[in-house]
Amino acid sequence: MSNGSSLKAVYFLGIGGIGMSALARYFKAIGVPTVKGYDLTPSSLTHQLEDEGIEVHYTDLGLEATKGLTPKDSLIVFTPAVPNSLGEMVAFRSAGFHMVKRAEALGHAVEGKKLFAVAGTHGKTTTSSLLTHLLHESVSTSAFLGGISSNINSNVLLSPNSENIVAEADEYDRSFLWLHPYLAIVTATSPDHLDIYGSTDAYKEGFTSFINQIVRGGTLIYKKDSFTPNQIPQHICNISYSSPWKGEKPADVYSDNVEYTCEGIRFDWHFPRKGLHFKQLLLHTPFAINIENATAAIAAALIAGSSEEQIRKSLASFKGVKRRFEVIFSNKNHIYIDDYAHHPEELVASISSLRELYPNDAILGIFQPHLYSRTRDFYHQFASALAELNDVILLPIYPAREEPIEGITSDLILRELPQKNKFLIERDEVVNFIEHYPTTLPRIIVTLGAGNIDRIVLPLQQALKSLSDE
C-alpha cells in the first residue's frame, strides 16, 4: 500500500477532514484511478476536492457505496469522527473491504521516506507548515499538513524526486504511533484528549512511546522540560529549545532579542554548541508563538541541509497558515483575526499576542468550545484565558465526534468570566449580533475555535466591511 500501485480505488469516509483530504489528494496524484468519498456536509475543502476531480457526496449511501468497488483492490480509509453506525461503514465492513484509519494510511504513505514528523499538543500545523516552506525553498520536500499553507494554498505538497517528507504527528487516538520519523519535533505535551488517554500521565507516556519510534541515529527536537533525560532514547540525538524572551532559561537552541516592527517580528536564533548565531531574522506573521515554532523549525531545516542564507530568505517569505492567527479584515475602524485555538494554552498564546500587537485597543473574542470532554476537563482554564479579553461571545460546544455529556455546556465557562460584556449565543446569530452590538463594538475582533466557527468568517468579514462603509 505504500505506493498505491496495486490499488484501483481509495474511498474515504470523512473525506472533508483536513488530514483526510490531504491523503485523498495524495492518492489522486500518484495515479489511483478512483478516489472518492463521503462527508456529512459540504465545505471549502470538499469543494476544492471536487474541483480537482475527486467525487464527494453528502448522503449516507449505505450498501450502494460499495457498487463498482471490489475488496481485493480497494482501500477504505476512515476517520474516528465518523460513527461506526454509518450505513456506508457497516456496508464496507460487512463486504470484507480492507479498512484502515487515516493514521495508518498516512503511515504507509510516508513509508520509505526521510520523515520529519511534528508532534505536540499545539503548534503542530504552523511548525510543520513553516518547516515545509523552509525545506521546499532549499533542499525540497513533500508534506502532509493539518492546515492550508498560505504559501502553497494546500494541505499537501508532493515532490516525487525528494526523499524528505514533512507530516503532522497527531496524538489523538495515538495516531502518531504509526510513524517512524527520521526527525521528530515535539512542541508541547500539555494534557489534552483525556477522553482517549484517561490521565495526564498516560497522555505524556504516549509522547514517550512516539519518540521511541525515531529511527536509530535520528534526531528529537523538543520543547525544554517536555521530557526527562531518562525518557529520551539512547539511540537518537536530542536538541532542546526554549524561549528566553518569555522568561525561560536558554536551551540547546533558543531565540531572543525579539522586536515587533512594522514589517513583522525580528529575532535572533542561537545554537551555541554549534557556534551558530543568526541575527535579525524576520517573520512577517505577527504571532508571538511563531518565534517559538520557528526556533524548532530552523534547527530541523539545518539538519536537513538548508543554509543560513536559505533559511533567512524563506522565513521572510513565510505567509502563515489559514485559520492560524489569520488577519481576515483590517481598516482604521476594525481588525478581524481568525484563529484555530481550541486548547487553553493556545488561547493564552493567541490572546497574549493580540495584547502585544494592540496594547491600547479593546478586544472582543468569539469562542466556540470544541468537544464536551475537553470543556469538562478544562473549563476553568478556558475561563482564565478568556478573562484577558475585554468582551467575550461564547458559542455552544461543537461536539465533533462526541455525544453530549450531562451538565457540560458553554455556560460552565460563561459563569466564571469576569467581564461585564459576556454573551452566550448560537453560531448563526453571531453576525446579526455584531451588526447590532449592545455596546461599543471593540476595535479588535477574534474568532477562536476548531469546530464549525469557520463558517461565520466570511459573513463576519462582510458585516464588518459594511459597518465600516456606513
Side-chain angles (χ1 to χ4, degrees), residues 226-246:
S226 295
F227 302 100
T228 60
N230 65 345
Q231 289 176 314
I232 299 173
Q234 297 297 307
H235 67 270
I236 63 171
C237 305
N238 68 87
I239 300 169
S240 63
Y241 70 96
S242 66
S243 301
W245 55 277
K246 293 199 309 186

Side-chain angles (χ1 to χ4, degrees), residues 42-349:
S43 66
S44 58
L45 268 177
T46 60
H47 292 323
Q48 288 170 14
L49 292 177
E50 291 174 290
D51 289 343
E52 294 164 17
I54 296 173
E55 180 185 327
V56 183
H57 61 274
Y58 308 96
T59 303
D60 182 356
L61 300 178
L63 185 60
E64 188 181 340
T66 66
K67 290 184 176 178
L69 304 178
T70 55
K72 68 175 183 178
D73 54 20
S74 299
L75 177 69
I76 313 303
V77 184
F78 66 97
T79 168
V82 174
N84 287 324
S85 59
L86 184 79
E88 295 189 15
M89 182 88 81
V90 173
F92 283 118
R93 281 208 171 106
S94 299
F97 281 82
H98 183 202
M99 303 183 70
V100 299
K101 289 184 180 181
R102 178 196 64 82
E104 183 176 351
L106 175 62
H108 286 292
V110 302
E111 197 173 356
K113 295 285 190 177
K114 187 177 280 188
L115 173 61
F116 294 72
V118 182
T121 312
H122 46 77
K124 291 186 293 291
T125 300
T126 300
T127 304
S128 56
S129 297
L130 177 53
L131 177 57
T132 296
H133 182 62
L134 295 179
L135 299 186
H136 181 53
E137 295 293 304
S138 56
V139 296
S140 182
T141 192
S142 297
F144 289 97
L145 305 174
I148 304 298
S149 164
S150 295
N151 286 90
I152 60 175
N153 198 33
S154 181
N155 54 349
V156 64
L157 174 65
L158 299 174
S159 302
N161 296 324
S162 177
E163 66 171 349
N164 302 318
I165 190 161
V166 177
E168 287 194 33
D170 187 4
E171 77 276 15
Y172 174 72
D173 201 28
R174 296 179 172 84
S175 296
F176 53 7
L177 298 185
W178 286 100
L179 304 176
H180 298 271
Y182 162 77
L183 180 147
I185 295 174
V186 176
T187 62
T189 57
S190 310
D192 199 5
H193 302 302
L194 299 185
D195 56 319
I196 297 295
Y197 288 90
S199 70
T200 296
D201 287 345
Y203 182 78
K204 292 191 174 184
E205 285 169 9
F207 280 92
T208 302
S209 297
F210 168 67
I211 64 173
N212 271 280
Q213 297 195 167
I214 298 172
V215 299
R216 183 168 296 278
T219 302
L220 167 66
I221 300 172
Y222 66 102
K223 184 65 189 293
K224 188 176 182 180
D225 299 329
S226 295
F227 302 100
T228 60
N230 65 345
Q231 289 176 314
I232 299 173
Q234 297 297 307
H235 67 270
I236 63 171
C237 305
N238 68 87
I239 300 169
S240 63
Y241 70 96
S242 66
S243 301
W245 55 277
K246 293 199 309 186
E248 299 170 0
K249 293 182 178 179
D252 295 324
V253 295
Y254 62 93
S255 295
D256 61 9
N257 295 331
V258 175
E259 179 186 5
Y260 288 86
T261 72
C262 58
E263 299 173 283
I265 307 176
R266 288 193 177 275
F267 62 98
D268 289 1
W269 183 88
H270 306 260
F271 193 172
R273 77 178 187 219
K274 296 290 186 181
L276 299 175
H277 180 190
F278 300 167
K279 296 182 179 179
Q280 288 288 286
L281 298 173
L282 174 64
L283 265 175
H284 288 295
T285 50
F287 189 12
I289 197 67
N290 280 351
I291 305 169
E292 192 169 290
N293 297 331
T295 302
I298 291 168
L302 283 169
I303 291 169
S306 302
S307 68
E308 177 185 353
E309 182 180 352
Q310 289 169 328
I311 288 169
R312 185 177 294 277
K313 182 179 178 181
S314 299
L315 274 177
S317 63
F318 181 60
K319 297 178 182 177
V321 184
K322 302 292 185 184
R323 296 219 66 226
R324 269 60 173 189
F325 212 79
E326 181 183 9
V327 178
I328 303 296
F329 176 78
S330 178
N331 69 5
K332 61 184 177 64
N333 297 316
H334 293 291
I335 296 172
Y336 170 34
I337 292 168
D338 180 43
D339 193 31
Y340 193 72
H342 59 284
H343 184 278
E345 290 193 13
E346 293 171 347
L347 290 182
V348 169

Side-chain angles (χ1 to χ4, degrees), residues 13-32:
L13 295 171
I15 197 169
I18 193 74
M20 294 283 275
S21 61
L23 282 169
R25 285 169 160 152
Y26 163 76
F27 283 111
K28 175 81 171 175
I30 65 172
V32 175

